[in-house]
Amino acid sequence: MRIDRVLANNPGPFTGGGTNTWVLGDGSGKVVVIDPGPVDTRHVTSIMGVVGKRDVEAVLVTHTHSDHAPLANPMARDLGVPAVGHVPGPSFDPDIRLLDGAHFDVGSLDLTVVHTPGHSDDHLCFRVGDVLFSGDHIIGGSSVMVDDMGSYLASLEKLRGTGLQRLLPGHGEEMDQPDTVIDWYVAHRMQRHEEVFEAIAKGADSTPDIVEVVYADVDSSLHPLAARSVQAHVTLLIDQGRIAYAGDRVVAVSQTS
Ligand SMILES: [Zn+2]
C-alpha cells in the first residue's frame, strides 16, 4: 500500500493549510484519489504528478462540502472513471453511491465505507486495514464544525476501539493513536455542550448570545461558523429535555447537568 498527500491550494480560516487530497495505491499500479478539492487545474497537475504512471480507478469524496468535492466530477470525467461518494450534493453527483459498510476495491486493497454523519449528513470515512481516511469527521490540530451533535458523537463512538492505528484527515497532519484523539474529541464536545447549557442557564437565550459567551476567546470572524455548532448543541439539549423553546428564545428547564 502506498499513500501520498497532495495539499490543495485553498488555505483559509475554515480549511487550515488547505484540503488534503489523498492518493491511495495498492502497490501494483492502481490508485484512487480521495477528496480532490475545489476546481483547480494546477491541483489536478499536482495530483497526476503523484499518480505518475499508475492508473486512477475512481475519484472518491468524503462529503460534498465545497473544499472537498467540486473537482471530483470533472476530474473523473476527464479520466473516464467513476466519481464516488454517498449522495449528491451542491457541487457533486456520484456515479457510484456508497452506503455504510460497503466495500470498494482499489486493486488488491479492500476499502471499507464507514458512514459518519455529524459534520455533514453525507459524510463518509474510508478504512483500509487499520488506516482511516477521516475527512472532516476528525481533522488534525482542531475540532470540527458540527451540524448534528447527536449523530456526530455517535459517529465518533462508532470508530472508537475498532483497532485503528492511523488517521489521515481532510485538513491538518496525520495522527496516530486514533482512540486517544477520539477521546479528546468527545471530551471537547461534552465540555462545549456543558458550556452551552451553562450560558443558557445564565440567561443567554439566542444563538448569537450563546456564541458570544461560549466562544468569547475565539476570533469573531469565526463566530458564524461557531453558530452552527452552537445550534447543534442547542438541538441536542432540547432532545435531552434540558432546555426548551420559549417563543424563538431558549431557556433552561433543568439546573442539573
Ligand atoms: Zn473541509
Side-chain angles (χ1 to χ4, degrees):
M1 177 160 70
R2 174 177 157 189
I3 298 169
D4 294 287
R5 177 172 75 154
V6 189
L7 186 63
N9 183 29
N10 62 337
F14 307 145
T15 59
T19 301
N20 291 330
T21 299
W22 297 100
V23 177
L24 166 67
D26 73 341
S28 78
K30 311 261 190 234
V31 307
V32 290
V33 174
I34 299 172
D35 283 352
V39 174
D40 175 351
T41 51
R42 283 181 307 173
H43 190 51
V44 174
T45 303
S46 301
I47 294 168
M48 295 314 293
V50 166
V51 169
K53 294 192 188 319
R54 298 177 294 167
D55 294 322
V56 177
E57 304 268 277
V59 180
L60 278 58
V61 304
T62 57
H63 63 302
T64 62
H65 284 170
S66 61
D67 54 330
H68 293 259
L71 182 56
N73 281 121
M75 191 175 176
R77 198 163 46 239
D78 287 350
L79 291 167
V81 300
V84 181
H86 187 47
V87 289
S91 55
F92 178 70
D93 189 12
D95 302 306
I96 297 174
R97 298 186 187 190
L98 297 175
L99 302 178
D100 186 48
H103 292 265
F104 191 87
D105 289 338
V106 184
S108 59
L109 297 176
D110 176 27
L111 181 149
T112 306
V113 176
V114 189
H115 184 217
T116 48
H119 172 72
S120 62
D121 269 356
D122 63 2
H123 197 287
L124 302 176
C125 293
F126 301 119
R127 179 171 188 152
V128 180
D130 57 11
V131 176
L132 188 78
F133 295 90
S134 60
D136 283 4
H137 184 45
I138 302 171
I139 64 173
S142 80
S143 61
V144 304
M145 189 278 297
V146 175
D147 252 356
D148 181 328
M149 198 60 63
S151 296
Y152 185 70
L153 291 167
S155 292
L156 288 174
E157 291 302 335
K158 190 173 181 177
L159 297 172
R160 198 208 299 258
T162 61
L164 290 169
Q165 297 294 334
R166 254 175 111 189
L167 296 175
L168 305 180
H171 305 276
E173 299 302 315
E174 75 168 82
M175 292 158 275
D176 55 12
Q177 299 189 312
D179 284 348
T180 305
V181 176
I182 290 168
D183 286 346
W184 182 85
Y185 260 67
V186 171
H188 172 75
R189 276 296 151 207
M190 297 321 292
Q191 183 190 334
R192 282 286 191 229
H193 198 58
E194 294 313 313
E195 287 169 0
V196 169
F197 177 75
E198 289 300 323
I200 295 166
K202 288 182 178 147
D205 60 1
S206 68
T207 299
D209 285 357
I210 300 164
V211 170
E212 289 292 328
V213 175
V214 175
Y215 290 85
D217 57 340
V218 173
D219 191 275
S220 58
S221 68
L222 291 172
H223 281 189
L225 195 70
R228 295 177 64 174
S229 289
V230 162
Q231 189 54 51
H233 282 296
V234 165
T235 302
L236 182 58
L237 285 166
I238 287 172
D239 289 349
Q240 292 171 333
R242 296 175 64 190
I243 64 171
Y245 278 112
D248 59 353
R249 306 269 127 180
V250 288
V251 292
V253 295
S254 130
Q255 294 299 316
T256 56
S257 55

